[in-house]
Amino acid sequence: MKRLFLFGSFAAAVAFMHSCARNPVTGKKQVVFTSEASEIQQGADADPQITAQFGVYPDSALQRYFRERGQAVAAVSHRPGLQWSYKILDSDVINAFATPGGYVYFTRGIMAYFNDEAQMEGVLGHETGHVTARHSVIQQRNQILGQVGIIAGVIINPNLGQFAEQASQGLGLLLLKFSRDDERQADELGVEYSTKLGYDAHRMAEFFQTLKRETQSHGGQALPPLLSTHPDPGDRYVTVNELANQWQQKTGNTANLKVNRDSYLRRLEGIIYGADPRQGFVEAGAFYHPDLKFQFPVPQGWQTQNTPQQFQMAPQDGKALMILTLAAGANLQEAATAQLQKYQLTARSSRTSTVNGLPAQIVVADQQQQGGGVIRTLSYFIQYNNAIYHLIGVTSAADYPAYEGQFASVMEGFRTLTDANKLNRRPERVRLRTANTGGTLRQVLTALGTPEARLEELSILNGMQLTDNVSKGTLIKTVGL
């Protein structure tokens, strides 16, 4: 027994020694249980899910530019040997995040709010820093994808089983939730990396002020995801400015620091601003999809969320959920069979029908829960324009009678979109204009035809106050079709 105990202690000590690794940033040894190869694999496994959920913004020139600037940051980082990946996601939410192994993502939303290259480089350095400091590994993040919200605040009843899990995974913006100490270290690394590249890191601090103003403009109801788990933006502004001074002194570069305002702004010409209605939008109690040319009603008071993969909606009490997605299959019966198997549903009834002249298969099916409960679903499989759409309503068997009518009303309302006003809807885009005369930003924006109601919005987009003086010839971001 003594020999066994000694051997076990020795084995544990060996395992502990192998679990110690030197942190690439601090140089200190620390206990970790994830190898670099495993860390890289985590990021590689998450990447297809992230890009499928949000889509990659379809601007090859902007993507190429973003990759080049990201790789420049990676080259001066503490882990230049990683196979870094930098992508812009097709989301209007103002956010940036990274996953283990060197995968960094910015949304088109945050790209639109940067006002120079130095701001972007600072935030690129921050997200790259999360990876170089192995923050997710140190915290032993088994679940690398955190979820901010479900259908604009609706909490789906967990008794809805895998459908609730699907809502949770499919609707929230993905990001890693690090501790505030990690965020402070990432800010310092963002300043370090951007300063080493010759950029003015004070501009990174200014960008946090823009984010704070954007939050306040919406009544302070919710912080942008980039700020939601971070130190107070006011404190952060002060700290980053102090760090910028320190690193500029350390590198001996306090003059001729790069900002690259105009060259960056010109890259934003035409970038989609806000939600893209071509991917579907809710208006006046209905969901419209101009590109796919269909529409269906949305129950009054239900919250909605739209992603490239699916459209979901739920009532405020979270007791039900409706999902629209595409179903694979050569015909309606084949698609229905495949979807029922996918969700482990047992059909109670099935019949063929038509919905506004479109072939349909209607299925009521149950899913037995391990705890003994039963989930009941109503599915309409509708064939339209060489595709099969699956509309499914999900609730408990006990609540099904209360929601069956709403489910059916939505599904029976699926129809061809013919309204030219909806079919021709276009997204707003960032449009660059030149100040023809000098004056305050308010005067310049007004002269450029900006409505009074949008002056404050555009002042935030430009990272300025309406009272700031603008010189003749200055590039200004406006918004138009």
Side-chain angles (χ1 to χ4, degrees):
M1 287 293 292
K2 184 177 181 180
R3 285 197 301 272
L4 287 174
F5 174 78
L6 289 173
F7 177 78
S9 298
F10 175 75
V14 171
F16 180 82
M17 289 173 63
H18 279 286
S19 69
C20 285
R22 198 172 296 278
N23 185 280
V25 171
T26 65
K28 297 178 181 179
K29 283 191 173 183
Q30 56 196 173
V31 178
V32 295
F33 300 100
T34 303
S35 68
E36 182 171 274
S38 177
E39 177 190 357
I40 292 169
Q41 191 60 50
Q42 286 182 359
D45 290 343
D47 183 64
Q49 179 185 345
I50 292 170
T51 55
Q53 178 173 345
F54 298 106
V56 176
Y57 186 60
D59 184 326
S60 58
L62 194 61
Q63 293 285 356
R64 183 169 57 253
Y65 163 72
F66 184 65
R67 284 195 303 271
E68 290 171 354
R69 296 319 312 153
Q71 294 295 341
V73 173
V76 299
S77 77
H78 293 83
R79 300 176 76 182
L82 287 177
Q83 297 298 308
W84 292 88
S85 171
Y86 293 87
K87 295 177 182 175
I88 302 172
L89 301 175
D90 193 2
S91 170
D92 63 312
V93 178
I94 304 171
N95 198 21
F97 60 97
T99 59
Y103 292 80
V104 178
Y105 307 89
F106 280 22
T107 61
R108 61 172 170 81
I110 199 170
M111 294 294 289
Y113 274 83
F114 292 133
N115 277 287
D116 52 58
E117 194 169 76
Q119 291 184 344
M120 182 188 72
E121 291 286 339
V123 179
L124 268 172
H126 172 100
E127 297 303 335
T128 299
H130 278 308
V131 178
T132 59
R134 304 191 79 193
H135 286 155
S136 62
V137 175
I138 296 165
Q139 297 179 40
Q140 300 180 34
R141 297 288 183 171
N142 295 322
Q143 188 70 25
I144 66 171
L145 300 181
Q147 184 248 340
V148 174
I150 300 174
I151 313 185
V154 171
I155 304 301
I156 303 299
N157 189 333
N159 293 330
L160 297 187
Q162 70 181 98
F163 295 100
E165 182 180 349
Q166 181 177 355
S168 175
Q169 292 176 348
L171 296 178
L173 186 65
L174 305 177
L175 77 163
L176 285 168
K177 294 185 177 180
F178 300 111
S179 72
R180 292 197 169 197
D181 286 341
D182 287 345
E183 294 299 342
R184 291 187 181 96
Q185 185 181 34
D187 277 348
E188 182 170 359
L189 290 170
V191 171
E192 175 183 346
Y193 298 158
S194 62
T195 302
K196 284 181 175 179
L197 288 170
Y199 290 94
D200 184 356
H202 290 291
R203 298 300 303 155
M204 178 182 173
E206 290 294 332
F207 180 67
F208 295 140
Q209 293 291 80
T210 296
L211 290 182
K212 183 177 181 179
R213 289 179 63 202
E214 171 64 12
T215 300
Q216 293 171 340
S217 72
H218 294 289
Q221 295 300 310
L223 287 170
L226 187 64
L227 298 179
S228 62
T229 57
H230 293 56
D232 176 78
D235 294 342
R236 202 172 178 194
Y237 170 78
V238 173
T239 301
V240 170
N241 270 318
E242 291 174 351
L243 289 169
N245 288 333
Q246 293 169 16
W247 272 100
Q248 287 170 17
Q249 291 294 331
K250 187 179 297 188
T251 60
N253 186 8
T254 58
N256 301 317
L257 293 163
K258 292 186 289 187
V259 172
N260 295 351
R261 180 181 186 272
D262 286 5
S263 61
Y264 177 80
L265 291 181
R266 289 191 178 96
R267 294 182 185 277
L268 295 183
E269 173 62 38
I271 193 172
I272 293 176
Y273 174 78
D276 183 358
R278 303 306 303 173
Q279 298 176 357
F281 62 95
V282 174
E283 186 175 276
F287 176 73
Y288 301 96
H289 203 299
D291 282 352
L292 299 179
K293 297 180 174 59
F294 67 78
Q295 68 178 79
F296 56 81
V298 172
Q300 185 175 3
W302 283 40
Q303 300 297 302
T304 66
Q305 189 93 9
N306 187 31
T307 72
Q309 289 181 308
Q310 57 195 3
F311 177 80
Q312 301 190 37
M313 52 186 174
Q316 291 285 357
D317 60 17
K319 292 183 178 180
L321 174 68
M322 293 192 72
I323 303 170
L324 168 75
T325 188
L326 286 170
N331 54 57
L332 289 171
Q333 185 60 53
E334 186 177 304
T337 300
Q339 289 293 86
L340 263 60
Q341 290 176 349
K342 174 183 176 180
Y343 294 124
Q344 300 177 334
L345 293 167
T346 302
R348 293 172 53 89
S349 65
S350 180
R351 62 186 175 89
T352 59
S353 184
T354 59
V355 173
N356 296 306
L358 304 172
Q361 186 82 17
I362 303 172
V363 182
V364 178
D366 288 351
Q367 183 188 88
Q368 189 71 41
Q369 299 297 95
Q370 291 183 350
V374 176
I375 291 173
R376 184 150 297 164
T377 66
L378 174 64
S379 288
Y380 274 52
F381 297 89
I382 302 173
Q383 196 159 13
Y384 174 59
N385 278 355
N386 300 315
I388 296 176
Y389 293 91
H390 181 197
L391 277 157
I392 183 171
V394 184
T395 189
S396 67
D399 289 330
Y400 184 79
Y403 287 103
E404 181 182 18
Q406 283 182 304
F407 290 165
S409 178
V410 170
M411 298 171 189
E412 291 286 345
F414 186 99
R415 66 184 66 238
T416 301
L417 176 59
T418 58
D419 185 341
N421 177 264
K422 307 297 190 297
L423 286 169
N424 297 325
R425 196 68 58 90
R426 295 287 183 268
E428 288 192 314
R429 297 178 183 271
V430 171
R431 299 300 183 190
L432 294 182
R433 304 286 296 277
T434 301
N436 294 322
T437 59
T440 65
L441 180 62
R442 174 185 290 277
Q443 291 170 333
V444 170
L445 286 173
T446 300
L448 292 173
T450 305
E452 176 70 26
R454 302 195 72 174
L455 288 176
E456 181 62 22
E457 174 191 356
L458 289 191
S459 75
I460 296 171
L461 184 64
N462 280 279
M464 301 180 188
Q465 299 288 342
L466 288 172
T467 54
D468 287 350
N469 287 319
V470 176
S471 301
K472 179 181 178 180
T474 301
L475 285 181
I476 297 295
K477 285 188 285 189
T478 63
V479 174
L481 297 178

